Amino acid sequence: MTGSDWSSLAGTAPERGGGQGDGVGGGPVGSNGVANLSAGESRAHLTSRITSADAIPIGDADPGADHGYHGELAAILIGEDALKAKIAVLAKAVAADHDVDTPPLLICVLKGAVMFVTDFARALPIPSELEFMAVTSYGSATSSSGVVRILKDLDRDITGRRVVIVEDIIDSGLTLSWLLRNLATRSPASVDVVALLRKPEAIKVDVDVRYVGFDIPTDFVVGYGLDYGERYRDLPFVGLLGEHMYR
Ligand code: PRP
């Protein structure tokens, strides 16, 4: 699940649980010579800014109802068409930075990124390979403990590979910060990050993210992989959860 401060649409949302890290950000940095791992500078022109005013309130035709979530959503923040168009743009940008001969190794961070990575890989006009990691964090649902534990590690060695971490959302940035440091110890040729969503106002650590689809407000978002209590991942759009669902 993800969310922090609910905006004008729905009051105050609970903070998301999980996704904590060690608080050391800035991408693959450190004294072990991994500072050059990032393959390039941020592609800021790819990022669309979404505000709460862009959210389309749910009217009589409740799109959540099509998936069994009757009256549970407050609004659609990013619709299916906008997601599809953005993923195509991100895929082209990533492909432009890679050679066909050295296909990117996509690392999907479970579970939230699973929808994104499958659409992203299919939109890539170059070959790619796929790996999965699952991590969890110690601590309460409302505070970061600073410690991340690997639940499922990669199935292969990434030495010399050009890695692209595929994330659904960057909230505090703590998970990604920890992950970048962890992967940097495994001697990849490069590590870049493609994130569908980012909450700039929630960032706690400076993380080097090359490709970002949408900068969004700190509203409580669900759908397209994002959950609240493991629900709503199956929605094909990014929506705002109704306040009554978590109050
Ligand atoms: C979410 C999301 C990111 C992380 C981002 O995962 O998928 O991995 O939180 O949050 P952060 O920037 O504050 O660290 P979560 O821990 O909720 O698990 P999930 O993907 O299984 O839902």
Side-chain angles (χ1 to χ4, degrees), residues 1 16 18-19 111-112 167-169 171-175 227 233:
M1 58 184 167
R16 55 172 303 283
K111 305 175 192 168
E167 265 285 25
D168 53 326
I169 189 165
D171 198 331
S172 68
L174 291 168
T175 302
D227 76 309
R233 295 193 198 272

Side-chain angles (χ1 to χ4, degrees), residues 30-63:
S31 58
N32 55 353
V34 295
N36 295 326
L37 280 175
S38 184
E41 296 179 357
S42 168
R43 300 290 192 254
H45 64 281
L46 300 173
T47 309
S48 301
R49 175 75 186 178
I50 303 286
T51 72
S52 296
D54 296 314
I56 303 170
I58 301 296
D60 292 337
D62 180 357

Side-chain angles (χ1 to χ4, degrees), residues 87-88 91 106-124 128-132 166-168 194 196 224-225 233:
I87 290 167
L106 308 181
I107 296 183
C108 168
V109 186
L110 296 170
K111 305 175 192 168
V114 71
M115 306 295 182
F116 178 37
V117 78
T118 55
D119 284 341
F120 178 78
R122 285 178 287 183
L124 267 179
S128 64
E129 298 174 15
L130 195 51
E131 279 288 322
F132 294 90
V166 182
E167 265 285 25
D168 53 326
V194 55
L196 182 63
Y224 200 68
R233 295 193 198 272

Side-chain angles (χ1 to χ4, degrees), residues 43 90-99 124-126 211:
R43 300 290 192 254
L90 292 173
K92 276 186 187 171
V94 171
D97 291 338
H98 288 79
D99 300 321
L124 267 179
I126 59 171
Y211 316 93

